[in-house]
């Protein structure tokens, strides 16, 4: 426990993310290698020549007798949030999925932004505000891929927040299904501090959990999660790692959150 409590904010992020960056080409190369090794299929749905956007797919194991569920996991939509693609890579390498999980994993939705260390794409569009009336080619390609997919039982979007005091998450659960949020926080707090602020990003929060009371139809600038909750899924979480902490801590926080969500969902 003492080790954990020693994890402190680095104090680097002044006005934005100023921590380590990643070689996104190398990370995505490793992602493809790990996916191939573990029998995932890969579909490219957008290609600029320099970078491609791709979706990985894992079928539930044939021997599984349990009921199956479809899980959607995406990350890398903001290029100044390197822990997401690294967590996707590690999750693939660890290959520790519930046997009855069908998983759709999008390891990086905005690769060019990682070469620029920017939130937006190459022309400054924040893709995560572009899902209602999409302007960016990347968003359009992603939505048209999503339209071809079945509905998901659960979605998880992996992000980072440059100014938060610890990990937190947003949970969308309009049908009041069994919440996964508390279990996720319980798991993450073993590896990363939780942001205990009562107000995070202008929304009431409790023990690192924000349950936004938002009507997507009243907002013009939809993040990916709004598209997912209105079109593709009835339950999901957006995970936010604190990017002013050491990178390995943030990667482990996202992984612990994903694994706890899956473990509780497939209980
Ligand atoms: Zn983000």
């Amino acid at each position: 426990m003492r080790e954990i409590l020693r994890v402190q904010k680095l104090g680097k992020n002044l006005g934005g993310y100023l921590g380590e960056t990643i070689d996104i080409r190398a990370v995505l190369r490793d992602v493809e290698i790990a996916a191939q090794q573990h029998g995932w299929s890969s579909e490219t749905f957008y290609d600029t020549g320099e970078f491609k956007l791709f979706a990985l797919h894992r079928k539930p194991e044939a021997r599984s007798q349990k009921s199956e569920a479809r899980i959607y996991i995406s990350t890398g939509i903001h290029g100044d949030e390197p822990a997401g693609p690294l967590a996707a890579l590690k999750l693939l390498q660890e290959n520790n999925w519930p046997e009855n999980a069908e998983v759709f994993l999008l390891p990086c939705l905005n690769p060019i932004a990682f070469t620029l260390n920017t939130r937006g794409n190459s022309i400054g569009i924040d893709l995560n505000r572009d899902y209602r009336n999409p302007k960016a080619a990347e968003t359009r390609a992603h939505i048209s891929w999503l339209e071809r997919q079945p509905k998901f039982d659960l979605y998880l979007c992996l992000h980072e927040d440059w100014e938060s005091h610890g990990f937190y998450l947003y949970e969308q659960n309009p049908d009041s299904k069994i919440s996964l949020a508390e279990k996720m926080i319980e798991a993450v707090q073993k590896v990363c501090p939780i942001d205990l602020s009562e107000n995070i990003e202008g929304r009431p929060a409790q023990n690192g959990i924000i349950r936004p009371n938002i009507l997507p139809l009243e907002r013009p600038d939809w993040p990916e999660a709004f598209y997912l909750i209105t079109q593709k899924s009835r339950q999901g979480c957006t995970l936010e790692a604190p990017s002013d902490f050491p990178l390995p801590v943030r990667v482990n926080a996202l992984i612990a959150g994903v694994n706890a969500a899956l473990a509780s969902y497939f209980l």
Side-chain angles (χ1 to χ4, degrees):
M1 265 325 259
R2 241 178 242 160
E3 277 302 310
I4 295 157
L5 295 173
R6 247 183 252 142
V7 176
Q8 299 270 336
K9 251 182 141 167
L10 299 169
K12 277 188 192 172
N13 288 356
L14 303 170
Y17 180 63
L18 294 170
E20 293 148 87
T21 55
I22 50 172
D23 178 351
I24 195 64
R25 287 183 181 82
V27 172
L28 292 176
R29 204 159 47 229
D30 290 347
V31 159
E32 291 195 275
I33 291 168
Q36 216 165 28
Q37 273 171 351
H38 296 295
W40 293 59
S41 59
S42 175
E43 182 189 348
T44 297
F45 56 87
Y46 181 69
D47 196 340
T48 61
E50 195 184 357
F51 279 110
K52 58 180 188 174
L53 302 185
F54 60 97
L56 301 168
H57 179 228
R58 173 201 190 269
K59 287 188 182 149
E61 287 166 36
R63 65 183 168 88
S64 174
Q65 302 295 310
K66 300 176 191 164
S67 62
E68 297 170 357
R70 289 191 200 104
I71 312 295
Y72 170 90
I73 303 171
S74 73
T75 191
I77 200 167
H78 291 139
D80 54 355
E81 301 178 6
L86 291 178
L89 171 58
K90 212 164 158 191
L91 283 163
L92 283 164
Q93 289 171 334
E94 289 176 355
N95 195 38
N96 185 28
W97 307 94
E99 60 179 24
N100 45 333
E102 180 176 6
V103 186
F104 301 79
L105 175 61
L106 285 77
C108 191
L109 287 170
N110 189 10
I112 188 83
F114 285 85
T115 66
L116 308 165
N117 193 28
T118 56
R119 182 176 169 93
N121 70 354
S122 60
I123 51 167
I125 298 175
D126 183 345
L127 302 183
N128 205 36
R129 295 290 180 270
D130 195 36
Y131 279 79
R132 186 159 188 183
N133 300 300
K135 291 180 284 295
E138 295 95 322
T139 319
R140 288 189 183 151
H142 182 208
I143 289 175
S144 98
W145 177 84
L146 282 164
E147 285 170 346
R148 298 195 300 274
Q149 309 310 313
K151 302 261 186 199
F152 308 118
D153 296 289
L154 178 70
Y155 76 81
L156 300 170
C157 298
L158 314 188
H159 284 256
E160 298 206 81
D161 182 334
W162 66 268
E163 54 187 344
S164 75
H165 304 296
F167 178 91
Y168 65 93
L169 61 84
Y170 298 86
E171 180 174 55
Q172 296 213 72
N173 187 10
D175 302 337
S176 301
K177 297 182 180 182
I178 297 167
S179 170
L180 308 173
E182 280 83 5
K183 297 272 185 216
M184 293 166 74
I185 293 291
E186 207 179 295
V188 174
Q189 70 186 0
K190 293 178 183 153
V191 297
C192 176
I194 305 300
D195 191 334
L196 299 174
S197 311
E198 287 177 5
N199 194 294
I200 302 175
E201 295 284 307
R203 301 192 188 287
Q206 208 173 17
N207 198 26
I209 300 168
I210 303 171
R211 294 193 164 94
N213 192 7
I214 302 170
L215 295 171
L217 294 176
E218 290 179 0
R219 255 184 69 169
D221 53 347
W222 282 11
E224 180 193 11
F226 279 21
Y227 179 88
L228 293 169
I229 205 71
T230 53
Q231 312 292 324
K232 299 303 293 185
S233 185
R234 298 299 294 166
Q235 184 171 16
C237 289
T238 299
L239 290 71
E240 298 276 356
S243 70
D244 208 0
F245 285 76
L247 188 51
V249 171
R250 293 136 55 189
V251 173
N252 288 338
L254 293 175
I255 290 171
V258 169
N259 283 335
L262 296 180
S264 335
Y265 191 85
F266 286 92
L267 206 64

